Amino acid sequence: MRIYLVGGAVRDALLGLPAGDRDHVVVGATVQDMLDAGYKQVGRDFPVFLHPQTSEEYALARTERKSARGHTGFVVHADPSVTLEDDLRRRDFTINAIAQAEDGRLVDPFGGAADLEQRVLRHVGDAFIEDPLRVLRAARFMARFASLGFTIAPETLALMRTMAAEGELAELTPERVWQELAKSLRSATPSAFLHTLREADALAAVLPEVDALYGVPQRVEFHPEIDTGIHTELVCDMAARLAPGDDLIGYAALTHDLGKALTPADELPRHVMHEQRGIAPIIALSERLKIPAEHRELAVLCSREHLNVHRIDELKPATVHELIARCDGFRKPRRIDQLATVCEADKRGRAGLSGAPYPQADALRRLHAAALAVRSDAIAAQGLAGPAFGEALRKARIDAIAAARA
């Protein structure tokens, strides 16, 4: 039995990045060998085990053979005759096909270390085309590594375009698409996910509502970048900067302007009512990908309210109260902070404006805090109940907003 550290742990160590999950491949062993050594079997489709002390994953070396369309259409073969190189050959990218022996020696049959040095994402072999999920994984790795200077090898991009053209991405389950999208939104450069899929002619198959934004013009005095798709990329990257690792904020940023794709051509480059028009595509996208309800709800309210937040200083105290109430900001106060963050990302996610101040965010948070500070028990102590209590609480909150603005 020979054990090797593989995959992301080796890759990230070579890049000097913090260690994440540690996965291992075991060569020359059977299932019974692993059980006899105290490992706990957890894999359903192929032999994966948890170490009895560390709970790290150990998988028997295996090969895969395509048996049907889609991400799950594979027959797996694992036995002691499968070599380490056989196992590494089935992996997606060369930078993920590096193994490290227990003595620290690297096993790198496909040149992954050189590709790491050259900052190139390159597929291992022609079997890449058999798994459509790898198109999304390529885009997700670019979202994580684009800031380090990574590019996609031309031959890999060509294969991704072939897979998209053949309709393979339609076989992906909604859960896997959302999983890759969420990981990308938690990355440093989510725009690279969108840009990569678009380069591969795959964005329309995965996120058609977002793909529809590219080429839609905006008013240059507000949007120097003009193109709504480019604006969306900039907003996603700004959201990642303001709320690192937060896919909830990221999803709202991604979808906040979906309504602009529905603006009638004769109204362009203005986008009157795009906030309301964006609600239906957000709901459709969220339902199709089975996105968590919390993400859908925040995305809807950010689409609906982002222009109101941009002009918060023009709103009357009663209107500010109504905005907070519409967002359920008294029962779920965190939503107002999230809304403020997404609106700041929208404002600063424009060409040349990444460093622009956005005092509206702090203004919204300050007015919300003032309204929250109103004590309902003090109003109840006046003997008020029912509708009278609700109206008195509303008036007190509006007065508090007015006082905070003075």
Side-chain angles (χ1 to χ4, degrees):
M1 182 189 299
R2 299 180 304 283
I3 297 174
Y4 300 87
L5 184 67
V6 293
V10 180
R11 177 198 67 221
D12 291 350
L14 292 173
L15 285 171
L17 298 176
D21 293 337
R22 289 166 52 88
D23 297 322
H24 304 78
V25 65
V26 182
V27 179
T30 65
V31 170
Q32 192 59 51
D33 291 334
M34 300 298 287
L35 296 176
D36 290 345
Y39 290 81
K40 178 183 177 182
Q41 186 169 358
V42 293
R44 291 184 303 170
D45 301 324
F46 48 83
V48 178
F49 304 83
L50 298 183
H51 190 281
Q53 277 80 47
T54 67
S55 294
E56 292 178 349
E57 285 195 1
Y58 288 68
L60 296 187
R62 67 184 189 270
T63 60
E64 296 173 346
R65 178 174 55 83
K66 186 72 170 174
S67 60
R69 285 175 65 88
H71 169 61
T72 58
F74 290 89
V75 173
V76 174
H77 171 69
D79 70 34
S81 69
V82 178
T83 68
L84 176 62
E85 185 169 333
D86 290 336
D87 184 272
L88 296 176
R89 183 178 289 108
R90 68 175 175 79
R91 296 173 184 266
D92 48 11
F93 304 106
T94 61
I95 64 172
N96 295 331
I98 309 170
Q100 185 177 40
E102 291 178 292
D103 62 3
R105 175 178 55 91
L106 292 182
V107 181
D108 181 20
F110 304 106
D115 282 341
L116 282 175
E117 290 181 5
Q118 296 168 18
R119 300 297 194 255
V120 174
L121 190 66
R122 190 191 316 275
H123 65 285
V124 170
D126 291 342
F128 179 89
I129 204 168
E130 297 177 349
D131 185 355
L133 184 63
R134 290 176 170 177
V135 175
L136 294 191
R137 282 174 60 82
R140 191 246 295 174
F141 279 122
M142 287 302 297
R144 184 178 177 195
F145 294 134
S147 60
L148 299 180
F150 271 77
T151 60
I152 294 184
E155 63 271 26
T156 301
L157 185 60
L159 279 185
M160 292 165 64
R161 287 175 175 155
T162 298
M163 296 162 76
E166 293 179 352
E168 278 279 337
L169 275 70
E171 306 294 328
L172 295 174
T173 64
E175 292 84 358
R176 291 312 300 262
V177 174
W178 167 239
Q179 184 178 30
E180 297 299 319
L181 173 58
K183 288 179 179 178
S184 300
L185 293 172
R186 293 194 294 268
S187 299
T189 318
S191 64
F193 179 82
L194 303 177
H195 183 73
T196 300
L197 289 182
R198 189 163 165 77
E199 273 196 312
D201 302 326
L203 185 61
V206 179
L207 298 170
E209 296 87 352
V210 177
D211 185 67
L213 296 173
Y214 288 86
V216 176
Q218 303 165 108
R219 293 171 64 182
V220 68
E221 63 267 35
F222 300 120
H223 289 276
E225 71 285 349
I226 302 177
D227 189 298
T228 307
I230 300 302
H231 169 57
T232 298
E233 292 183 5
L234 294 171
V235 174
C236 287
D237 286 353
M238 182 56 66
R241 178 173 154 188
L242 296 173
D246 192 332
D247 57 68
L248 183 60
I249 296 292
Y251 184 66
L254 173 70
T255 58
H256 81 286
D257 263 353
L258 291 188
K260 288 183 177 178
L262 303 177
T263 299
D266 61 355
E267 295 181 12
L268 296 173
R270 300 174 70 245
H271 292 279
V272 179
M273 300 291 290
H274 77 274
E275 320 93 278
Q276 286 73 31
R277 287 187 178 122
I279 293 174
I282 288 172
I283 293 173
L285 170 60
S286 301
E287 290 181 349
R288 187 177 70 253
L289 296 187
K290 300 181 181 180
I291 286 167
E294 183 182 17
H295 290 64
R296 181 190 68 241
E297 291 166 4
L298 181 65
V300 165
L301 72 88
C302 287
S303 174
R304 188 185 65 222
E305 306 293 351
H306 66 277
L307 292 192
N308 290 327
V309 177
H310 290 341
R311 58 189 187 95
I312 189 77
D313 292 337
E314 303 171 22
L315 303 184
K316 297 177 180 178
T319 307
V320 174
H321 179 275
E322 291 167 9
L323 186 159
I324 295 169
R326 280 197 306 273
C327 297
D328 206 7
F330 294 113
R331 287 196 318 120
K332 300 177 179 179
R334 185 165 171 257
R335 279 192 172 178
I336 302 303
D337 178 66
Q338 293 166 333
L339 171 62
T341 300
V342 173
C343 290
E344 181 174 356
D346 174 35
K347 189 67 174 181
R348 296 172 60 189
R350 309 181 190 202
L353 298 178
S354 63
Y358 188 70
Q360 294 95 322
D362 286 339
L364 176 60
R365 293 185 180 106
R366 184 177 69 254
L367 300 181
H368 178 228
L372 280 178
V374 174
R375 295 177 58 88
S376 58
D377 55 354
I379 296 174
Q382 301 174 25
L384 299 175
F389 171 83
E391 180 56 31
L393 179 59
R394 174 181 173 277
K395 185 177 184 305
R397 284 172 168 169
I398 292 172
D399 289 344
I401 290 170
R405 180 176 274 172

